[in-house]
Amino acid sequence: MTIHIQNLTDYPYASGRRVVMGKRGAVATSQPLATTAGMEMLLAGGNAVDAALAMAIALTVVEPTSNGIGSDAFAIVWDGKLHGLNGSGKSAQACTPNRFEGLTLVPPLSWLAVTVPGAVSAWRALWERWGKLPFEQLFEPAIRYAEEGFPLSPQTARAWRQSEQIFLPLEAPEFQPLKAVCFPGDRAPKAGEIWGSEAHGKTLRAIAQSGGESFYRGELAEQIAQFAADTGGLLTKADLADHQPEWVDPISTAYRGLQVWELPPNGQGIAALMTLNILEGFDLAKYPRDSIDSFHLQIEAMKLAFADTYYHVADPRFMPITAEQLIRKTYAAERRQLIGETAIATPTYGIPKGGTVYLAAADQELMVSFIQSNYEGFGSGILIPGTGIALHNRGAGFVVDPEHPNTVAPAKRPFHTIIPGFLTQLDGTPLGPFGVMGAPMQPQGHTQVVVNLVDYAMNPQAALDAPRWRVLSGKTVLLESTVPRSVAMGLSDRGHTIQVSGEVGNFGKGQLILKQNGVLIAASEPRADGIAIAL
């Protein structure tokens, strides 16, 4: 008998995962082929940074629904101390407020949402500082997947199919290259189908051979600027040439004996730190993990942190207050007083006094927390002809309110949702990188993973597996379908407007590697296609 495997996206029975352990190195991503790209580098004698970069580059090919060559990126690296890299790009010099007159938001499917893509510069900067293998070698798996094609994984295929209704109706000329490359025959490829892009492979070769210079100051930059000029875009060669990634100091807070690290604004990692500061005043461990009280307190703390984040956070050059003010324990104590037995309807901000991929890699000397993103699916919908470069729409993170610190302006970084995380002991001993991708779900995912690890003593895989909640707006909270019904009903009784979803993509996708007694313990998100590998 011949078995014909048909439905690659239907899994009717729960499938358990276990942590993966090793001593020499560990890697984890949301896509198995990307994870094996990282393992190729470790087996070739590379280090964790080499592995992380090979995975990031491969993900631009094998998970284009979430990221691409035209993405932004951020990273935290431990090499004995923590270093942060902000690889997000700034808006074009021509991105002036008058271009947004009459708009209530930045249109996400447009050139107006495109800032300078920073991912390529982040790859180069990280490699220059820590890379061990030749830069070009890091691109080999990705180029192979692009030129030879690869079988599309199930969750990526689902995301691709869901994108049909967004991108296929677009008729303006700037959107046609993306449709031709990513939706051949006017449809998304299916799970198991072979998809590739020779143009993507050619572009990766050019970036590898030029050390990234072609993208910002060479032939690729010319192609980007020319297509922008031809189709109403704002980016110019000068905007691309002016781009530089920025080394930053990570920020942190202590949470019950653990130090939790995030990158400072313009990202939203600070929301996770503010939430944990508020939660520290409650004894969560006295409540069962899947209980009404535990969920209620976490949700209310998150709502308060989001209120502050959305009001205050922007490019730090334009913020009237500092990140340090927002994560003060005294400020958290003030905010904590607002939490009662029932849901806060519309949390207000306070004034302190005084479509993404995440990956993790580690060896015994280096640990890397890395994230890069298009923002929404394939991003702006704009792909530079003949290159495979799909441009993100991170500029949609700006607001058009001229009084807001995150208002649109020239040469400015927008509010960013993508945040790599890292955990250490209070004395600085590294535990490891962690992250949960998924737009506003990211600081919510970070909070829940930390609470699971610290308050409920879960192992890394269980901390990722556990049912999740997601604050939407006002009193509305989305619960994963695996949350006990009694918890959903109890939260409703406390005034929360509860929605339940079986769509796993609503609750983020995470990776986690922790080091204990010299052993690297890795876990990969069950809500994605990915895997963790260790050796």
Side-chain angles (χ1 to χ4, degrees), residues 172-228:
E174 61 266 34
F175 304 122
Q176 302 318 303
L178 178 82
K179 291 165 63 175
V181 171
C182 296
F183 298 92
D186 289 331
R187 72 169 180 86
K190 298 177 181 179
E193 287 187 0
I194 303 299
W195 184 86
S197 170
E198 291 186 3
H200 197 120
K202 179 181 177 182
T203 293
L204 290 177
R205 288 186 188 278
I207 292 170
Q209 291 167 1
S210 68
E213 280 296 296
S214 179
F215 191 91
Y216 296 103
R217 297 166 191 88
E219 183 179 346
L220 292 174
E222 296 231 10
Q223 290 176 269
I224 294 170
Q226 187 60 58
F227 191 60

Side-chain angles (χ1 to χ4, degrees), residues 52-241:
L53 294 176
M55 293 189 294
I57 297 163
L59 281 163
T60 70
V61 181
V62 298
E63 198 173 331
T65 52
S66 302
N67 77 126
I69 302 172
S71 287
D72 274 349
F74 294 79
I76 298 175
V77 179
W78 178 85
D79 67 354
K81 63 174 290 188
L82 287 176
H83 309 268
L85 182 65
N86 183 334
S88 66
K90 296 176 181 176
S91 54
Q93 287 289 350
C95 188
T96 51
N98 64 293
R99 294 183 181 275
F100 299 83
E101 290 179 0
L103 298 176
T104 58
L105 50 77
V106 178
L109 298 174
S110 73
W111 273 111
L112 291 176
V114 179
T115 56
V116 176
V120 172
S121 70
W123 303 344
R124 173 68 189 223
L126 291 166
W127 175 79
E128 284 185 332
R129 192 158 183 175
W130 290 288
K132 184 178 178 183
L133 298 175
F135 191 59
E136 292 182 53
Q137 188 171 346
L138 310 182
F139 288 73
E140 290 176 358
I143 292 171
R144 184 172 67 246
Y145 297 143
E147 294 181 345
E148 298 178 7
F150 64 95
L152 201 63
S153 57
Q155 282 300 113
T156 300
R158 292 187 72 243
W160 212 315
R161 185 177 69 249
Q162 292 164 359
S163 295
E164 288 179 335
Q165 61 186 324
I166 299 172
F167 296 99
L168 284 179
L170 300 176
E171 297 181 354
E174 61 266 34
F175 304 122
Q176 302 318 303
L178 178 82
K179 291 165 63 175
V181 171
C182 296
F183 298 92
D186 289 331
R187 72 169 180 86
K190 298 177 181 179
E193 287 187 0
I194 303 299
W195 184 86
S197 170
E198 291 186 3
H200 197 120
K202 179 181 177 182
T203 293
L204 290 177
R205 288 186 188 278
I207 292 170
Q209 291 167 1
S210 68
E213 280 296 296
S214 179
F215 191 91
Y216 296 103
R217 297 166 191 88
E219 183 179 346
L220 292 174
E222 296 231 10
Q223 290 176 269
I224 294 170
Q226 187 60 58
F227 191 60
D230 291 344
T231 56
L234 304 181
L235 283 184
T236 66
K237 288 171 61 178
D239 292 322
L240 292 162

Side-chain angles (χ1 to χ4, degrees), residues 290 292 483-491:
D290 295 331
I292 300 164
V483 171
R485 185 168 180 267
S486 60
V487 174
M489 293 178 66
L491 291 172

Side-chain angles (χ1 to χ4, degrees), residues 97 100 103-106 311 398-408 412:
F100 299 83
L103 298 176
T104 58
L105 50 77
V106 178
Y311 187 80
F398 281 125
V399 298
V400 295
D401 177 0
E403 302 302 316
H404 197 286
N406 187 41
T407 191
V408 66
K412 182 178 180 180

Side-chain angles (χ1 to χ4, degrees), residues 332-403:
E334 294 175 21
R335 300 293 273 164
R336 190 180 303 123
Q337 300 307 309
L338 299 175
I339 297 178
E341 289 296 309
T342 58
I344 302 171
T346 306
T348 57
Y349 62 88
I351 303 295
K353 298 175 179 63
T356 301
V357 294
Y358 173 79
L359 61 94
D363 57 32
Q364 291 297 334
E365 285 76 42
L366 292 166
M367 300 178 120
V368 185
S369 184
F370 186 97
I371 195 163
Q372 67 187 16
S373 170
N374 285 339
Y375 189 34
E376 296 178 342
F378 288 97
S380 63
I382 300 167
L383 185 147
I384 308 304
T387 68
I389 299 171
L391 298 174
H392 66 61
N393 57 346
R394 302 298 328 184
F398 281 125
V399 298
V400 295
D401 177 0
E403 302 302 316

